[in-house]
Amino acid sequence: MLASCVYLCIIPAFSMQSPSVLYLAINLPWSTQRRESILSQAQRFQLNIRIVEAIDGKKLSKEDAAAYSVEDRRRIYHDDLTDNEIACVLSHRKALKQFLDSDADYAVIIEDDAKLAPLFCEGIHELTHHLKGWEIAKLYTSEGKLFPLLPHCPQAPVQPVFPKKILWMAIGYMYTRKGAQALYDSMQRFSEPADVLIARLALAQGIPTIGVEPSLVQIHSLGRQSDIDAPSADKRAPGGPARKYFAHRWLVWRTTFYKFRMRFKMRRLLSRQD
C-alpha cells in the first residue's frame, strides 16, 4: 500500500507538459495594508500574484447588484445580503472571469486576508501533478471535521479530504478551467454570500470538489475577516409565514444530502498518480 503513493517531489520546472497556474488575490483599492501583505508573501514564495480589484460595496451600482435576487433570498431567509456581501460575490465572479479569459490551466483565487502556509507551493504542485479527478479544491479547511478521501500518503505535502464545514469561508480556492466555468455560469444569479454560494453550487451541480489537509491558506493576523465582505448595516427582510421556515429547513437537509453525495463521489473519482 505504501509503495503505491511514492513519487518524486522534484518540480519539473523545464517540462513542457507542466500545467500553468494563475494566482489571483481579491483586494479593495483602499485596502493597502492587506495588498502589501499579499504581495510580500508572493515575493517570498516567488509567485506572480495578480491583484483583482474587488468591487466596493459602498459603490455598488444597480447594474452590478442586478444579479442579486431579493426574491430568492426572502423566500428562504429572514435577512437580506448586505451591500458588502453582494460585492464580495461579484468580486469572486470577476476573478473567475479573469481566469477564464486567460490561457492558464488552473487558478488559485484568494482573498486579501489570506496567509500562505509554509508548504503552499508544494501543496499546489501536489494538486496539479498528482491528485486527479477534482475540479474545485478548497484551500482553507482548518475548522470542523475532515473526512479522508484517499489512503494517507506520508510523502505527500497535503492529503485530500472532504471538509464537513465546506460552506465556511471563501478565503482560498483552486479551480480547473472546467470547474471555474461551471461555477461562473451558475453565479449569474445568486442570493447567498460567497462562501455558502460557491460551496452550495459546487455540491448541487456535482462539480468534483475536495479540500486539503493541512490547509494551504490561513486567515492572516491582520484580522479574521477580509475587508471585501466586512460587516455593514444589516438589511432585515420582512418576516414570513411558516413556509419560509420549512423552505429553509429543506435547503439545509438538501445541502446535507449533497455533502454526503459529494464525499462518496470523490472517494470513487479521486486518484493519486506518480
Side-chain angles (χ1 to χ4, degrees):
M1 291 293 293
L2 188 60
S4 65
C5 67
V6 176
Y7 55 85
L8 292 177
C9 294
I10 301 175
I11 299 178
F14 301 104
S15 173
M16 298 300 292
Q17 302 298 321
S18 294
S20 57
V21 182
L22 178 66
Y23 297 90
L24 301 173
I26 303 173
N27 172 259
L28 286 162
W30 49 263
S31 189
T32 56
Q33 185 181 14
R34 294 181 186 277
R35 182 164 61 254
E36 290 171 359
S37 172
I38 289 292
L39 294 178
S40 175
Q41 293 181 73
Q43 184 177 16
R44 187 166 67 251
F45 283 88
Q46 298 183 338
L47 298 174
N48 179 22
I49 293 183
R50 301 182 187 178
I51 299 297
V52 177
E53 185 174 313
I55 296 172
D56 193 339
K58 297 177 182 178
K59 302 177 181 178
L60 194 64
S61 68
K62 289 184 179 180
E63 182 180 357
D64 287 335
Y68 169 56
S69 174
V70 177
E71 295 79 12
D72 290 349
R73 181 72 183 179
R74 293 186 178 184
R75 187 162 50 246
I76 298 175
Y77 300 96
H78 288 284
D79 63 332
D80 289 328
L81 292 186
T82 65
D83 289 342
N84 284 348
E85 287 174 323
I86 295 171
C88 182
V89 174
L90 296 174
S91 298
H92 277 271
R93 197 175 74 178
K94 180 180 179 180
L96 287 170
K97 183 65 164 59
Q98 186 166 325
F99 166 44
L100 293 171
D101 288 342
S102 74
D103 296 326
D105 300 304
Y106 297 88
V108 171
I109 299 177
I110 60 176
E111 293 188 348
D112 61 4
D113 57 342
K115 180 180 180 182
L116 307 185
L119 290 176
F120 179 81
C121 292
E122 291 86 345
I124 297 302
H125 183 262
E126 171 76 1
L127 284 164
T128 56
H129 287 75
H130 299 291
L131 292 176
K132 305 301 178 182
W134 63 273
E135 303 290 349
I136 299 178
K138 186 172 185 180
L139 304 182
Y140 174 78
T141 57
S142 294
E143 300 184 42
K145 188 174 181 179
L146 304 175
F147 299 93
L149 296 175
L150 287 176
H152 182 77
C153 180
Q155 288 76 23
V158 292
Q159 307 297 326
V161 296
F162 190 82
K164 182 178 181 179
K165 288 192 175 182
I166 191 169
L167 287 81
W168 185 258
M169 304 296 291
I171 187 174
Y173 276 95
M174 187 170 185
Y175 302 94
T176 66
R177 296 192 68 85
K178 183 178 179 181
Q181 186 69 66
L183 189 62
Y184 176 79
D185 291 343
S186 301
M187 292 175 72
Q188 304 310 305
R189 179 184 173 97
F190 63 89
S191 60
E192 296 163 315
D195 53 351
V196 176
L197 180 68
I198 292 172
R200 188 184 62 77
L201 289 176
L203 294 173
Q205 296 184 32
I207 306 173
T209 301
I210 65 171
V212 292
E213 171 61 18
S215 294
L216 292 180
V217 298
Q218 295 288 344
I219 299 171
H220 203 283
S221 58
L222 290 171
R224 179 171 176 79
Q225 191 168 30
S226 169
D227 291 334
I228 299 168
D229 58 354
S232 59
D234 285 340
K235 298 177 293 182
R236 304 302 298 181
R243 63 181 175 79
K244 181 179 290 190
Y245 168 79
F246 288 109
H248 182 262
R249 296 311 305 167
W250 167 252
L251 179 64
V252 171
W253 181 89
R254 187 174 61 181
T255 302
T256 300
F257 168 75
Y258 287 154
K259 288 195 290 185
F260 276 106
R261 184 180 68 176
M262 182 63 72
R263 196 169 84 202
F264 287 106
K265 175 180 180 177
M266 294 314 300
R267 282 178 174 168
R268 297 192 307 270
L269 191 62
L270 194 67
S271 64
R272 180 183 278 115
Q273 301 178 7
D274 293 347

